[in-house]
Each structure stands twice: as structure tokens, then as C-alpha cells.
Amino acid sequence: MKYPFLINLKERKKKSEKKSRRSLDIIRKLLDDLEYFGGDILTLSKKSINYSINSDLIKADISLKKAEKKVNIFNKNLLKARNILRELLGEINNFQNTYSKIELFEKKFSGAKEEFFEAKILYSYIKSDRRKILGPENFPLADIETYAGGLSDFCGELLRRAKLDIIKKSNCSKEIEKYYQDTKAIYQILAKFSFSNKSGIRSKVDNLKGYILEFENLFYNLKINKVGS
């Protein structure tokens, strides 16, 4: 299963949204019911005052009791709406905090995966007699940007390997040519993608041009050395 923590988050988000909708519906219903209560309480209170002024205490009492009933309902429902909204806002804040933490973990995980892809691609490449490059299909958790980042860094390791081969081996031109051609092929493929600056992959792909130039300098120096010997 890919990214189980994200799937769990998605399910939690659905449940949270469903609960939030229910809470909002309750709040709307409470507020709709209370829409005319303020006016009614005001009218009944004024009537009670007028009845009291005119010594009609029976009618004053009736109006006052009606107003009191509405005051209690108004206060109770308004308090309930406020508490539901406070709880709802608390859940939203908790969800946002949790989501931010997961985003941070995912970012760290992405960097770790990229390094892992690079390591596995390089290991397989050096181990294989035919210098096979592992594709994204070999990585179940691969996304294009993370894989491209690992692949770009892999090319940097090919350049490092080429420099070591020159020191350790007397005849390594064919191997270095292979590293060079693979780096060029990888650059030609990755250069076709529109990676965002935010991802950091575009700069890694741009670095491949520098690796290619360094390979060409290595060939030039090898050629000069051969002529000199």
C-alpha cells in the first residue's frame, strides 16, 4: 500500500469534514430558529412594561413569562451554537497541526527516499556487467520528482567513479565513455520535464550539464596524457 499514513489522513479528513458539515448544519438550524427571538423578546418586554405602567399586572405577567421563556431558549441555543463552533474550530486547528506535521515528515521522507533511490541505482549499476540503470518501476514508492532527484545525484556519483577509475586503472576509457553517455542520456530525458523550482529537482537536472562538461574535460586530459606518454 502506497503512503498508508496519507491514506489514513485522507480517511480522517473525510470523517472530519462529515462531522464538520453536521456541526455546521446544527449551528445554522439553531441560528435560524433564533433569528426572530430578539425582536420577539423586545416586543414582549415593551408590552410588559406598558401593562405594568398601566397597572394591568395580569397581562404584564403573561407578556413577561413569554419573554422569559424566549430569553432562556435564546440563551441556551446561542450558548450551544457557540460551544459547537468552538469545538469545530478546535478540530480544524488540530487537523491543520496534524497535517502540517505529516507534510514535514513527508518532506523528510522524500529526501531519504531520494538518497535511497540514488544508492540502489548506483549499486545495481556498478554490480551489473552491462551497467543497467534501474527505472522507476523498480521502486514501489517512487514518484517522478524523487526518482529524478536520485537519478541526477547518481550521475554525480558516476563522475566521481570516473575520477577514481582514472587513478586506479591504466585503461578505463571505455568505462568512462559509458558513464558519460549514460549521463548525457539521463540529462536529455530529464530536461524534457518541467520541474518546479520549489522541488529542487530543476537545479539538480541543471547540474547534469556541469557533469557532462567535466566528463569531456576528463576525456581531453586522458587524450593529452596519451599523447605525452
Side-chain angles (χ1 to χ4, degrees):
M1 183 180 291
K2 294 184 179 181
Y3 303 110
F5 54 93
L6 292 180
I7 293 172
N8 291 338
L9 177 64
K10 185 177 180 181
E11 291 302 316
R12 181 179 171 183
K13 184 173 182 290
K14 284 182 180 178
K15 289 179 181 177
S16 178
E17 287 176 346
K18 189 175 181 180
K19 185 177 179 180
S20 297
R21 284 194 295 270
R22 285 200 303 267
S23 297
L24 285 173
D25 287 342
I26 292 171
I27 291 173
R28 289 193 192 99
K29 179 66 168 57
L30 287 170
L31 297 181
D32 286 345
D33 291 345
L34 297 179
E35 187 173 358
Y36 301 106
F37 267 51
D40 291 345
I41 293 168
L42 187 62
T43 300
L44 288 168
S45 297
K46 284 183 178 295
K47 283 184 177 181
S48 179
I49 290 170
N50 288 331
Y51 287 138
S52 294
I53 289 292
N54 291 291
S55 300
D56 194 343
L57 298 181
I58 294 176
K59 288 183 179 180
D61 183 52
I62 292 173
S63 294
L64 196 59
K65 285 180 178 176
K66 287 181 179 179
E68 185 177 10
K69 184 177 180 181
K70 285 183 177 286
V71 166
N72 290 332
I73 293 174
F74 187 85
N75 186 64
K76 180 181 176 182
N77 287 7
L78 200 61
L79 183 62
K80 184 177 180 180
R82 186 183 293 114
N83 288 337
I84 292 173
L85 185 59
R86 185 184 295 117
E87 182 182 344
L88 181 60
L89 291 173
E91 287 185 4
I92 291 171
N93 288 333
N94 288 335
F95 173 77
Q96 288 175 337
N97 291 336
T98 303
Y99 189 76
S100 297
K101 187 176 288 186
I102 287 177
E103 278 190 322
L104 178 62
F105 285 167
E106 188 180 24
K107 187 176 181 180
K108 290 182 178 179
F109 185 40
S110 179
K113 280 193 301 177
E114 189 175 298
E115 196 74 16
F116 168 72
F117 292 168
E118 176 191 349
K120 191 166 183 178
I121 292 168
L122 181 64
Y123 171 79
S124 176
Y125 185 88
I126 299 300
K127 184 180 179 182
S128 171
D129 292 334
R130 301 179 68 181
R131 299 292 189 245
K132 181 182 178 183
I133 299 174
L134 295 179
E137 68 278 1
N138 297 105
F139 301 95
L141 297 179
D143 57 78
I144 184 59
E145 291 192 339
T146 309
Y147 174 77
L151 195 61
S152 298
D153 290 341
F154 157 75
C155 292
E157 296 304 325
L158 287 187
L159 180 61
R160 189 155 71 101
R161 172 74 183 210
K163 292 176 180 178
L164 287 173
D165 284 352
I166 291 172
I167 296 171
K168 294 181 178 180
K169 298 179 182 180
S170 57
N171 185 12
C172 56
S173 296
K174 287 185 178 179
E175 280 289 282
I176 296 176
E177 177 69 27
K178 173 65 174 168
Y179 303 157
Y180 171 63
Q181 293 299 335
D182 285 340
T183 299
K184 278 209 306 184
I186 288 170
Y187 172 69
Q188 288 167 359
I189 293 170
L190 294 183
K192 295 177 182 178
F193 289 87
S194 298
F195 296 111
S196 66
N197 288 324
K198 185 180 179 181
S199 69
I201 305 303
R202 181 183 290 182
S203 61
K204 290 194 174 191
V205 174
D206 287 341
N207 287 340
L208 295 179
K209 292 184 286 187
Y211 299 156
I212 291 169
L213 286 175
E214 285 198 56
F215 271 116
E216 291 171 353
N217 288 333
L218 288 179
F219 287 128
Y220 177 77
N221 291 330
L222 285 173
K223 187 175 180 181
I224 292 297
N225 289 336
K226 278 188 178 180
V227 172
S229 61

